[in-house]
Amino acid sequence: MANNQKNYDFHKESHTEPLEINMGPSHPATHGTVKFYLTLDGETIKDIDVEIGYLHRAFEKECELQHWSGIFPYTDRLDYTAGVLNNVGYALAVEKLIGIETPERCKYIRVIASEMGRLSGHYTNLAACAMELGALTAFLYFVEAREYLWDLIESFCGARLTHNYIRIGGLTSDLPDEFPESTEVVFKKNEKLYDDFAKLLLKNRIFLDRMRDTGGISAELAKEWGFSGPCLRACGVPFDVRKSEPYLVYDKLDFEIPIGSTGDNFDRFLVRMDEIKQSIRIIRQCLKQIPDGPINVDDPMWRQPSKDDINSDMESMIFHFKNVIEGQKVPEGEVYHAIEACNGELGFYLVSNGSGSPVKCRVRPPSFPMTSALPIMVKGSLLADLIPTFDMINLIGGECDR
Amino acid sequence: MEKQTIGKSLDSAAGMNNQKNIENNKNNSSVVINRVTDKFSDSKLIIYAHSLLGDDTIVVQPAEIINVMQFLRYDKLLTFDMMIDLTVVDYLGNQQIHPYLSDLRARFEVVYHLYSIDKNHRLRVKAPLMEENAFINSITGIWGGANWFEREAWDLYGIVFQGHPNLRRILLYEEFEGHPLRKEYSKTKRQPLIGPRN
Amino acid sequence: MIGVVDLIEVLVKIGFIVVLLVGVFAPVLTWVERKQSAVMQDRIGANRADVFGFRIIGLLHAAADAIKLIFKEDFIPRGADRTLHTLAPIMALIPAILAFSVIPFGGTYTFGDREVNLVIANLDVGVLFVFAITSLATYGVFIAGWSSNNNWALLGGLRASAQMFSYEVTMGLTIIGLVMFYQSLSMVEIVAKQDIFWHWGIIWHWPAFILFLACAVAENKRIPFDAPEAESELVAGYFTEYSGLKFVMFWTAEFIEIVTISALCVVLFFGGHHIPFIADAKLIDCFSSLGANIANLVAMVIGVTVFVSKLAIIIFLQMTIRWTMPRFRYDQIMKLGWKMILPLSLIWIFVVGLGMLTNLIPRI
Amino acid sequence: MAITVKKVDRNVDMTLWERMYIPEMICGMLITWRHFFLNFVGLFLEEVGGKHYRRIATVYYPEEMPIVPVAYRGRPVLVRSKNGIEKCVACGLCEAACPPNCISIIGGERPNGDRYPDSYVLDGSRCIFCGFCEEVCPKEAIVMSHDWKNLCEYNRSKMVYTKKELLYPERNLQKRFDVLRDKYFSAYRYRQSPNLKTEPKE
């Protein structure tokens, strides 16, 4: 009796076959456009095939046909929850290729703008995760916080989402005069909403049971699969590009990197929650230390001449025409520069042949390798665990499919 | 740079910049490159190495990519445990950027960016490929993360990665003809319309 | 042959309940859900629908929704079983309304020689009847999931039936402590015995109240027990393929069930129509100056308003839970139901039994 | 600089207080009720008192318009100077700089020799409001107005703006010009001259 009990194959006998479902590109949980082809055994996921590419807009092909300075509106649309972060990444890569250095004030403003982009990215991601788990009020508290932040960004960029604020060699415009005061007002409101959000969720047993020990990954596997950003820090690996390779003025600012211990969804959630605090802290320090002075590099080749110069002398007028029509002549060579975006390391690999437009403008998308590792994290767990895991990887269609 | 320098022609300014980088390559090439070059010094595996603009780069024979990568991954001093990025560059008509491209008659170049978390240094490994035999061994065995990057390189550039678990298109639909990021694929090219799949 | 007057009396009561439930409460609850959640989430909420310029802070949205959904196309997907697809919402709606027939929404008042008892069916197995009827709703939900030929709906239907089935068991058990306390299954008697504030169910049975509320919310598939219709996991659960009038039926069934659950809580735990420290008799004779009949009438009106206001408070509580809590995972719901609430309710029955033996708990 | 690392507390061993669901639910409800009653009082006071009592973040859209900051990039418009003619000299720089190529100009010459755009077509359905045209224009002839209301039409051909729809009187754009001249394109944005503040701002 005992041995035939052992080789009794339940599935073969009870003729159950797995249920194949297309969790298709327009499913409410895939709030980016991505499709999961799931084979379910009851509710547990036996196999999952992730299919991306629904938001592929041929970013690289477009960049190869565009001038160096014309690419900025395209970089806004990469990680569209934090537009200005991608601008900063691209601008730093091009400046590294050219070999120019922007003045001190411009570096501080770029740090402020990119930290605000990170805040907006984290607000969006954490709000979406709360909504996917049913806590709609918590979702709206963070969307409201993001709303105030976007009004702030709009006051110096001019647009809420497509910021297009950074240029090669500097910025489009300086910060408005009453910017520090309005920032303080917004941060006070956001901190209150942050506490409400944290009180609603972080001690709540239902939320803890849903997020803890689901979608975990070990540190070695995370490194092997190219994880970076909050998901890698949640595994306990303190890798943050702002700390390991300080760019702009991050070495003058003191801030901490939150790291988790087990690498499951709850750690990723907490790491992002704490990074919001750190970003606010960084922006406050920057607003205190920001020096006065010019915001563009003084090298006439690499920045927009001012209207006074154009009207006053002939040379800069000719130079301006040549730059706009043929594009700025970036010297020959190749460069790779990485910055810390919301989801991880956002790298730009540029190859130039000295003409006005790039030979290759490659974006290293942080969420691309993490989505490829989704089957490892989710296979064998329940269908309901796929939702928080997919949220915490924070796949942004624009950045992953380019 | 006072104002009168604008008068000088633009190309010289670009040329001057490049000149400055090539000299500094001779004297203080970085620790990583020294370690790699003296490991593979016997076989002429390393074609070229430079650290222009601060990025350490080595160019290797495409046939030997596997054991170079294995060495880089499992060597005690280098420990490149993260494969940050894998991409392909199409140098059709731009061979003059890198000297070795023209004498190898190479058109494509598969570019790997590696990073080591504990040692905090980066390396760019490049493998030039000729147009007719555009294939290279897949490194999914060493880093699992390379799986999707290689599928994307196949999808957009048409580089075959031998030994890849399931090399199929990732960003474009299966019935897409051609590889869009190649230089000869013009922007205004249209695809044949396909009916609904099922 | 029942007398004509009795027939009219019962019809008036049924009319009152149906109008109160389907006509007033269900639409108002849709507005309450929108407006309350809006103000809770720092936004404005429904305020657009207006008739001749009167907005009444968005109340007309309920009417607008109803009319819109009635005129929407009633879509039956290809490959769906037509008859079952249309039958399912009816089977989900009817039990919710029927359960209200046993609930006394007022006391017994004498008009002239007639004795009027404000309950439609004065069954002496009222509590049993309610649980029997609400378990019928499971069929409606399951058939809806199975018959709409959609994977998500099937998963939703499976989850819903498993959840409703397992929470009926626990809901019944949580009430047994109360029934032992009042020694009767008839709703009218339970309410009659709660005329003194200290004999209210909540005073002696507040743990049972918490367990009962949890089971009731699970029975009604509202957040946090939202797995069957979790929009993030199963698109819309069992009513994915429903639109138009059939969707309205499912929606009203859900809201009516909220009202039924609140009514059950009010009747079993919060003393039905009684005002805390004023017994019915005292209420009637303090209006006796207006004459016997009118005093009874006034007392009846006050009784019903007290009942409805208690109902509103409990509904408001349920709505707040709806907007504060995240959602359980499906297997956690099952674990909670069978491994936590069931043992707790059994222990509670034992405690009540012990209490009554050593008459720590007074015998009424 | 040493990497200052902060361990995230995972609140692993939940106190009995948290292991039961009810206490957390109650304190969660307290938060949502606080928001509810504060907003409810705010709405009531707003009916009685005035708008500044409002705590709610959203706006009654058609009746109240959201206030738009000065730097806002709305619809690009051609500036019509005080004497009624446009400032644009049809140099074609905006046409070259526009990423989605939605501007097309045909230049012409007036009898007294100065150039003017014979036809200036801006395809509103392709415009991404990036502000490049405003940046590169040497004559400050095209500027991003604060115009964002009812820009969309039912068919695309209506969204193609010709010169007639694009011309905008200069006096309405004065605020935008002040910001442009001060924050965007003034010379002291990049010259390392010591006395920055005293740099003459034309």
PDB file of all heavy atoms in Angstrom, chain A residues 162 167 177 196 203 205 255 259 294-295 306 309 320, chain D residues 4 6 18 34-35 73 132 135-136 183 185 189-190:
ATOM      1  N   THR A 162       7.273  66.290 -19.166  1.00  0.00           N
ATOM      2  CA  THR A 162       8.366  66.311 -20.174  1.00  0.00           C
ATOM      3  C   THR A 162       9.224  67.529 -19.867  1.00  0.00           C
ATOM      4  O   THR A 162       9.026  68.618 -20.417  1.00  0.00           O
ATOM      5  CB  THR A 162       7.750  66.448 -21.575  1.00  0.00           C
ATOM      6  OG1 THR A 162       6.966  67.647 -21.545  1.00  0.00           O
ATOM      7  CG2 THR A 162       6.861  65.286 -21.884  1.00  0.00           C
ATOM      8  N   ARG A 167      20.652  71.065 -20.716  1.00  0.00           N
ATOM      9  CA  ARG A 167      21.258  71.183 -22.054  1.00  0.00           C
ATOM     10  C   ARG A 167      22.710  70.726 -21.969  1.00  0.00           C
ATOM     11  O   ARG A 167      23.281  70.637 -20.855  1.00  0.00           O
ATOM     12  CB  ARG A 167      21.234  72.657 -22.514  1.00  0.00           C
ATOM     13  CG  ARG A 167      19.877  73.152 -22.945  1.00  0.00           C
ATOM     14  CD  ARG A 167      19.374  72.449 -24.200  1.00  0.00           C
ATOM     15  NE  ARG A 167      18.000  72.818 -24.505  1.00  0.00           N
ATOM     16  CZ  ARG A 167      16.932  72.234 -23.987  1.00  0.00           C
ATOM     17  NH1 ARG A 167      17.081  71.251 -23.087  1.00  0.00           N
ATOM     18  NH2 ARG A 167      15.700  72.598 -24.304  1.00  0.00           N
ATOM     19  N   ASP A 177      13.205  82.855  -8.297  1.00  0.00           N
ATOM     20  CA  ASP A 177      13.792  83.458  -7.091  1.00  0.00           C
ATOM     21  C   ASP A 177      13.167  82.865  -5.835  1.00  0.00           C
ATOM     22  O   ASP A 177      13.844  82.548  -4.873  1.00  0.00           O
ATOM     23  CB  ASP A 177      13.567  84.996  -7.111  1.00  0.00           C
ATOM     24  CG  ASP A 177      14.211  85.567  -8.377  1.00  0.00           C
ATOM     25  OD1 ASP A 177      15.123  84.873  -8.872  1.00  0.00           O
ATOM     26  OD2 ASP A 177      13.786  86.616  -8.870  1.00  0.00           O
ATOM     27  N   ASP A 196       1.467  59.711   6.876  1.00  0.00           N
ATOM     28  CA  ASP A 196       0.164  59.020   6.752  1.00  0.00           C
ATOM     29  C   ASP A 196       0.334  57.728   5.970  1.00  0.00           C
ATOM     30  O   ASP A 196      -0.136  56.663   6.367  1.00  0.00           O
ATOM     31  CB  ASP A 196      -0.840  59.933   6.026  1.00  0.00           C
ATOM     32  CG  ASP A 196      -1.311  61.049   6.958  1.00  0.00           C
ATOM     33  OD1 ASP A 196      -0.938  60.973   8.152  1.00  0.00           O
ATOM     34  OD2 ASP A 196      -1.996  61.968   6.505  1.00  0.00           O
ATOM     35  N   LYS A 203       2.850  49.168   9.258  1.00  0.00           N
ATOM     36  CA  LYS A 203       2.635  48.308  10.434  1.00  0.00           C
ATOM     37  C   LYS A 203       1.451  47.373  10.198  1.00  0.00           C
ATOM     38  O   LYS A 203       1.083  46.586  11.053  1.00  0.00           O
ATOM     39  CB  LYS A 203       2.342  49.186  11.666  1.00  0.00           C
ATOM     40  CG  LYS A 203       3.546  49.961  12.182  1.00  0.00           C
ATOM     41  CD  LYS A 203       4.297  49.120  13.217  1.00  0.00           C
ATOM     42  CE  LYS A 203       5.384  49.930  13.899  1.00  0.00           C
ATOM     43  NZ  LYS A 203       6.327  50.520  12.900  1.00  0.00           N
ATOM     44  N   ARG A 205      -0.680  44.377   9.219  1.00  0.00           N
ATOM     45  CA  ARG A 205      -0.309  42.968   9.039  1.00  0.00           C
ATOM     46  C   ARG A 205      -0.710  42.463   7.648  1.00  0.00           C
ATOM     47  O   ARG A 205       0.016  41.686   7.026  1.00  0.00           O
ATOM     48  CB  ARG A 205      -0.997  42.127  10.112  1.00  0.00           C
ATOM     49  CG  ARG A 205      -0.601  40.674   9.896  1.00  0.00           C
ATOM     50  CD  ARG A 205      -0.902  39.786  11.033  1.00  0.00           C
ATOM     51  NE  ARG A 205      -0.557  38.407  10.578  1.00  0.00           N
ATOM     52  CZ  ARG A 205      -0.995  37.337  11.170  1.00  0.00           C
ATOM     53  NH1 ARG A 205      -1.767  37.444  12.242  1.00  0.00           N
ATOM     54  NH2 ARG A 205      -0.657  36.147  10.744  1.00  0.00           N
ATOM     55  N   PHE A 255      24.570  61.887   2.695  1.00  0.00           N
ATOM     56  CA  PHE A 255      23.258  61.200   2.723  1.00  0.00           C
ATOM     57  C   PHE A 255      23.564  59.719   2.856  1.00  0.00           C
ATOM     58  O   PHE A 255      24.692  59.274   2.623  1.00  0.00           O
ATOM     59  CB  PHE A 255      22.471  61.483   1.434  1.00  0.00           C
ATOM     60  CG  PHE A 255      23.168  61.059   0.175  1.00  0.00           C
ATOM     61  CD1 PHE A 255      22.869  59.846  -0.434  1.00  0.00           C
ATOM     62  CD2 PHE A 255      24.128  61.871  -0.414  1.00  0.00           C
ATOM     63  CE1 PHE A 255      23.511  59.441  -1.590  1.00  0.00           C
ATOM     64  CE2 PHE A 255      24.770  61.488  -1.581  1.00  0.00           C
ATOM     65  CZ  PHE A 255      24.461  60.269  -2.173  1.00  0.00           C
ATOM     66  N   ILE A 259      19.810  50.004   2.924  1.00  0.00           N
ATOM     67  CA  ILE A 259      19.914  48.664   2.306  1.00  0.00           C
ATOM     68  C   ILE A 259      19.030  47.714   3.113  1.00  0.00           C
ATOM     69  O   ILE A 259      18.823  47.891   4.314  1.00  0.00           O
ATOM     70  CB  ILE A 259      21.367  48.126   2.301  1.00  0.00           C
ATOM     71  CG1 ILE A 259      21.956  48.091   3.708  1.00  0.00           C
ATOM     72  CG2 ILE A 259      22.230  48.924   1.384  1.00  0.00           C
ATOM     73  CD1 ILE A 259      23.221  47.299   3.761  1.00  0.00           C
ATOM     74  N   PRO A 294      27.197  81.762 -12.750  1.00  0.00           N
ATOM     75  CA  PRO A 294      26.633  81.363 -14.043  1.00  0.00           C
ATOM     76  C   PRO A 294      26.149  79.921 -14.000  1.00  0.00           C
ATOM     77  O   PRO A 294      26.552  79.131 -13.153  1.00  0.00           O
ATOM     78  CB  PRO A 294      27.818  81.510 -14.994  1.00  0.00           C
ATOM     79  CG  PRO A 294      29.012  81.351 -14.146  1.00  0.00           C
ATOM     80  CD  PRO A 294      28.658  81.897 -12.790  1.00  0.00           C
ATOM     81  N   ILE A 295      25.252  79.589 -14.934  1.00  0.00           N
ATOM     82  CA  ILE A 295      24.753  78.190 -14.964  1.00  0.00           C
ATOM     83  C   ILE A 295      25.229  77.486 -16.223  1.00  0.00           C
ATOM     84  O   ILE A 295      25.063  76.292 -16.356  1.00  0.00           O
ATOM     85  CB  ILE A 295      23.212  78.156 -14.932  1.00  0.00           C
ATOM     86  CG1 ILE A 295      22.626  79.021 -16.036  1.00  0.00           C
ATOM     87  CG2 ILE A 295      22.691  78.585 -13.588  1.00  0.00           C
ATOM     88  CD1 ILE A 295      21.142  78.799 -16.217  1.00  0.00           C
ATOM     89  N   SER A 306      23.649  83.851 -25.625  1.00  0.00           N
ATOM     90  CA  SER A 306      22.504  84.625 -25.115  1.00  0.00           C
ATOM     91  C   SER A 306      22.018  85.562 -26.220  1.00  0.00           C
ATOM     92  O   SER A 306      22.759  85.875 -27.152  1.00  0.00           O
ATOM     93  CB  SER A 306      22.963  85.473 -23.928  1.00  0.00           C
ATOM     94  OG  SER A 306      23.623  86.606 -24.452  1.00  0.00           O
ATOM     95  N   ASP A 309      24.214  88.428 -26.967  1.00  0.00           N
ATOM     96  CA  ASP A 309      25.402  88.199 -27.820  1.00  0.00           C
ATOM     97  C   ASP A 309      24.984  88.121 -29.288  1.00  0.00           C
ATOM     98  O   ASP A 309      25.624  88.708 -30.156  1.00  0.00           O
ATOM     99  CB  ASP A 309      26.085  86.874 -27.418  1.00  0.00           C
ATOM    100  CG  ASP A 309      26.729  87.024 -26.052  1.00  0.00           C
ATOM    101  OD1 ASP A 309      26.716  88.171 -25.558  1.00  0.00           O
ATOM    102  OD2 ASP A 309      27.180  86.026 -25.493  1.00  0.00           O
ATOM    103  N   HIS A 320      25.943  80.493 -33.980  1.00  0.00           N
ATOM    104  CA  HIS A 320      24.628  80.011 -33.540  1.00  0.00           C
ATOM    105  C   HIS A 320      23.922  79.318 -34.701  1.00  0.00           C
ATOM    106  O   HIS A 320      23.423  78.195 -34.567  1.00  0.00           O
ATOM    107  CB  HIS A 320      23.815  81.214 -33.042  1.00  0.00           C
ATOM    108  CG  HIS A 320      22.440  80.854 -32.576  1.00  0.00           C
ATOM    109  ND1 HIS A 320      22.212  79.895 -31.622  1.00  0.00           N
ATOM    110  CD2 HIS A 320      21.234  81.321 -32.959  1.00  0.00           C
ATOM    111  CE1 HIS A 320      20.909  79.786 -31.413  1.00  0.00           C
ATOM    112  NE2 HIS A 320      20.295  80.625 -32.218  1.00  0.00           N
TER     113      HIS A 320
ATOM    114  N   THR D   4      28.084  55.692   3.686  1.00  0.00           N
ATOM    115  CA  THR D   4      27.303  55.576   4.934  1.00  0.00           C
ATOM    116  C   THR D   4      26.042  54.777   4.596  1.00  0.00           C
ATOM    117  O   THR D   4      25.233  55.194   3.774  1.00  0.00           O
ATOM    118  CB  THR D   4      26.901  56.973   5.401  1.00  0.00           C
ATOM    119  OG1 THR D   4      26.321  57.629   4.264  1.00  0.00           O
ATOM    120  CG2 THR D   4      28.130  57.749   5.856  1.00  0.00           C
ATOM    121  N   LYS D   6      22.616  52.543   5.722  1.00  0.00           N
ATOM    122  CA  LYS D   6      21.606  52.544   6.797  1.00  0.00           C
ATOM    123  C   LYS D   6      20.762  51.287   6.633  1.00  0.00           C
ATOM    124  O   LYS D   6      20.186  51.065   5.567  1.00  0.00           O
ATOM    125  CB  LYS D   6      20.741  53.802   6.620  1.00  0.00           C
ATOM    126  CG  LYS D   6      19.582  53.949   7.569  1.00  0.00           C
ATOM    127  CD  LYS D   6      18.996  55.359   7.360  1.00  0.00           C
ATOM    128  CE  LYS D   6      17.707  55.527   8.121  1.00  0.00           C
ATOM    129  NZ  LYS D   6      16.648  54.603   7.634  1.00  0.00           N
ATOM    130  N   GLU D  18       0.470  44.033  16.841  1.00  0.00           N
ATOM    131  CA  GLU D  18       0.337  44.140  15.385  1.00  0.00           C
ATOM    132  C   GLU D  18      -0.114  42.819  14.779  1.00  0.00           C
ATOM    133  O   GLU D  18      -0.670  42.792  13.710  1.00  0.00           O
ATOM    134  CB  GLU D  18       1.680  44.529  14.751  1.00  0.00           C
ATOM    135  CG  GLU D  18       1.970  46.011  14.837  1.00  0.00           C
ATOM    136  CD  GLU D  18       3.458  46.259  15.089  1.00  0.00           C
ATOM    137  OE1 GLU D  18       4.209  45.280  14.959  1.00  0.00           O
ATOM    138  OE2 GLU D  18       3.814  47.383  15.434  1.00  0.00           O
ATOM    139  N   ARG D  34      -9.399  61.202  10.087  1.00  0.00           N
ATOM    140  CA  ARG D  34      -8.874  62.566  10.317  1.00  0.00           C
ATOM    141  C   ARG D  34      -8.941  63.349   9.008  1.00  0.00           C
ATOM    142  O   ARG D  34      -9.458  64.461   8.957  1.00  0.00           O
ATOM    143  CB  ARG D  34      -7.431  62.463  10.830  1.00  0.00           C
ATOM    144  CG  ARG D  34      -6.732  63.817  10.965  1.00  0.00           C
ATOM    145  CD  ARG D  34      -5.432  63.695  11.746  1.00  0.00           C
ATOM    146  NE  ARG D  34      -4.513  62.739  11.125  1.00  0.00           N
ATOM    147  CZ  ARG D  34      -3.700  63.079  10.132  1.00  0.00           C
ATOM    148  NH1 ARG D  34      -3.691  64.321   9.675  1.00  0.00           N
ATOM    149  NH2 ARG D  34      -2.872  62.198   9.604  1.00  0.00           N
ATOM    150  N   HIS D  35      -8.433  62.704   7.924  1.00  0.00           N
ATOM    151  CA  HIS D  35      -8.497  63.408   6.626  1.00  0.00           C
ATOM    152  C   HIS D  35      -9.951  63.739   6.304  1.00  0.00           C
ATOM    153  O   HIS D  35     -10.279  64.832   5.857  1.00  0.00           O
ATOM    154  CB  HIS D  35      -7.923  62.511   5.516  1.00  0.00           C
ATOM    155  CG  HIS D  35      -6.436  62.636   5.381  1.00  0.00           C
ATOM    156  ND1 HIS D  35      -5.851  63.470   4.442  1.00  0.00           N
ATOM    157  CD2 HIS D  35      -5.434  62.096   6.095  1.00  0.00           C
ATOM    158  CE1 HIS D  35      -4.530  63.392   4.549  1.00  0.00           C
ATOM    159  NE2 HIS D  35      -4.241  62.563   5.543  1.00  0.00           N
ATOM    160  N   ARG D  73       5.384  76.188 -20.324  1.00  0.00           N
ATOM    161  CA  ARG D  73       5.531  76.149 -21.788  1.00  0.00           C
ATOM    162  C   ARG D  73       4.198  75.752 -22.405  1.00  0.00           C
ATOM    163  O   ARG D  73       3.845  74.584 -22.454  1.00  0.00           O
ATOM    164  CB  ARG D  73       6.590  75.118 -22.184  1.00  0.00           C
ATOM    165  CG  ARG D  73       7.977  75.416 -21.695  1.00  0.00           C
ATOM    166  CD  ARG D  73       9.006  74.612 -22.478  1.00  0.00           C
ATOM    167  NE  ARG D  73       8.819  73.166 -22.355  1.00  0.00           N
ATOM    168  CZ  ARG D  73       9.532  72.391 -21.549  1.00  0.00           C
ATOM    169  NH1 ARG D  73      10.451  72.923 -20.774  1.00  0.00           N
ATOM    170  NH2 ARG D  73       9.332  71.098 -21.494  1.00  0.00           N
ATOM    171  N   PHE D 132      12.205  74.359 -27.978  1.00  0.00           N
ATOM    172  CA  PHE D 132      13.444  74.575 -28.751  1.00  0.00           C
ATOM    173  C   PHE D 132      13.305  75.795 -29.654  1.00  0.00           C
ATOM    174  O   PHE D 132      14.251  76.584 -29.803  1.00  0.00           O
ATOM    175  CB  PHE D 132      13.719  73.323 -29.613  1.00  0.00           C
ATOM    176  CG  PHE D 132      14.549  72.284 -28.902  1.00  0.00           C
ATOM    177  CD1 PHE D 132      14.738  71.028 -29.437  1.00  0.00           C
ATOM    178  CD2 PHE D 132      15.131  72.574 -27.673  1.00  0.00           C
ATOM    179  CE1 PHE D 132      15.501  70.080 -28.774  1.00  0.00           C
ATOM    180  CE2 PHE D 132      15.890  71.630 -27.002  1.00  0.00           C
ATOM    181  CZ  PHE D 132      16.080  70.367 -27.555  1.00  0.00           C
ATOM    182  N   GLU D 135      14.038  78.856 -27.925  1.00  0.00           N
ATOM    183  CA  GLU D 135      15.443  78.997 -27.528  1.00  0.00           C
ATOM    184  C   GLU D 135      16.299  79.498 -28.665  1.00  0.00           C
ATOM    185  O   GLU D 135      17.171  80.342 -28.492  1.00  0.00           O
ATOM    186  CB  GLU D 135      15.968  77.615 -27.090  1.00  0.00           C
ATOM    187  CG  GLU D 135      15.994  77.409 -25.594  1.00  0.00           C
ATOM    188  CD  GLU D 135      16.494  76.001 -25.284  1.00  0.00           C
ATOM    189  OE1 GLU D 135      17.634  75.689 -25.690  1.00  0.00           O
ATOM    190  OE2 GLU D 135      15.716  75.238 -24.701  1.00  0.00           O
ATOM    191  N   VAL D 136      16.028  78.905 -29.885  1.00  0.00           N
ATOM    192  CA  VAL D 136      17.005  79.204 -30.944  1.00  0.00           C
ATOM    193  C   VAL D 136      16.646  80.477 -31.697  1.00  0.00           C
ATOM    194  O   VAL D 136      17.464  80.990 -32.457  1.00  0.00           O
ATOM    195  CB  VAL D 136      17.101  78.032 -31.951  1.00  0.00           C
ATOM    196  CG1 VAL D 136      17.679  76.815 -31.290  1.00  0.00           C
ATOM    197  CG2 VAL D 136      15.768  77.763 -32.598  1.00  0.00           C
ATOM    198  N   LYS D 183      15.951  85.001 -16.749  1.00  0.00           N
ATOM    199  CA  LYS D 183      16.407  83.677 -16.285  1.00  0.00           C
ATOM    200  C   LYS D 183      17.011  82.874 -17.428  1.00  0.00           C
ATOM    201  O   LYS D 183      17.804  81.979 -17.221  1.00  0.00           O
ATOM    202  CB  LYS D 183      15.195  82.901 -15.728  1.00  0.00           C
ATOM    203  CG  LYS D 183      14.678  83.490 -14.435  1.00  0.00           C
ATOM    204  CD  LYS D 183      15.376  82.853 -13.259  1.00  0.00           C
ATOM    205  CE  LYS D 183      14.710  83.289 -11.955  1.00  0.00           C
ATOM    206  NZ  LYS D 183      15.564  84.174 -11.173  1.00  0.00           N
ATOM    207  N   PHE D 185      18.022  83.778 -21.082  1.00  0.00           N
ATOM    208  CA  PHE D 185      19.054  84.045 -22.112  1.00  0.00           C
ATOM    209  C   PHE D 185      19.908  85.255 -21.790  1.00  0.00           C
ATOM    210  O   PHE D 185      20.525  85.810 -22.664  1.00  0.00           O
ATOM    211  CB  PHE D 185      18.358  84.284 -23.479  1.00  0.00           C
ATOM    212  CG  PHE D 185      17.505  83.106 -23.875  1.00  0.00           C
ATOM    213  CD1 PHE D 185      16.174  83.260 -24.191  1.00  0.00           C
ATOM    214  CD2 PHE D 185      18.043  81.839 -23.869  1.00  0.00           C
ATOM    215  CE1 PHE D 185      15.393  82.179 -24.515  1.00  0.00           C
ATOM    216  CE2 PHE D 185      17.263  80.745 -24.187  1.00  0.00           C
ATOM    217  CZ  PHE D 185      15.929  80.917 -24.518  1.00  0.00           C
ATOM    218  N   ARG D 189      24.326  84.743 -17.570  1.00  0.00           N
ATOM    219  CA  ARG D 189      24.105  83.316 -17.229  1.00  0.00           C
ATOM    220  C   ARG D 189      25.425  82.572 -17.317  1.00  0.00           C
ATOM    221  O   ARG D 189      25.590  81.533 -16.732  1.00  0.00           O
ATOM    222  CB  ARG D 189      23.144  82.678 -18.247  1.00  0.00           C
ATOM    223  CG  ARG D 189      21.723  83.153 -18.157  1.00  0.00           C
ATOM    224  CD  ARG D 189      20.963  82.498 -17.017  1.00  0.00           C
ATOM    225  NE  ARG D 189      20.187  83.526 -16.338  1.00  0.00           N
ATOM    226  CZ  ARG D 189      20.264  83.721 -15.032  1.00  0.00           C
ATOM    227  NH1 ARG D 189      21.056  83.008 -14.302  1.00  0.00           N
ATOM    228  NH2 ARG D 189      19.576  84.657 -14.459  1.00  0.00           N
ATOM    229  N   TYR D 190      26.428  83.064 -18.112  1.00  0.00           N
ATOM    230  CA  TYR D 190      27.602  82.198 -18.236  1.00  0.00           C
ATOM    231  C   TYR D 190      28.899  82.984 -18.142  1.00  0.00           C
ATOM    232  O   TYR D 190      29.954  82.447 -17.991  1.00  0.00           O
ATOM    233  CB  TYR D 190      27.600  81.441 -19.564  1.00  0.00           C
ATOM    234  CG  TYR D 190      27.339  82.317 -20.751  1.00  0.00           C
ATOM    235  CD1 TYR D 190      28.334  83.076 -21.315  1.00  0.00           C
ATOM    236  CD2 TYR D 190      26.066  82.385 -21.288  1.00  0.00           C
ATOM    237  CE1 TYR D 190      28.078  83.886 -22.393  1.00  0.00           C
ATOM    238  CE2 TYR D 190      25.811  83.188 -22.368  1.00  0.00           C
ATOM    239  CZ  TYR D 190      26.814  83.953 -22.924  1.00  0.00           C
ATOM    240  OH  TYR D 190      26.551  84.743 -23.988  1.00  0.00           O
TER     241      TYR D 190
END
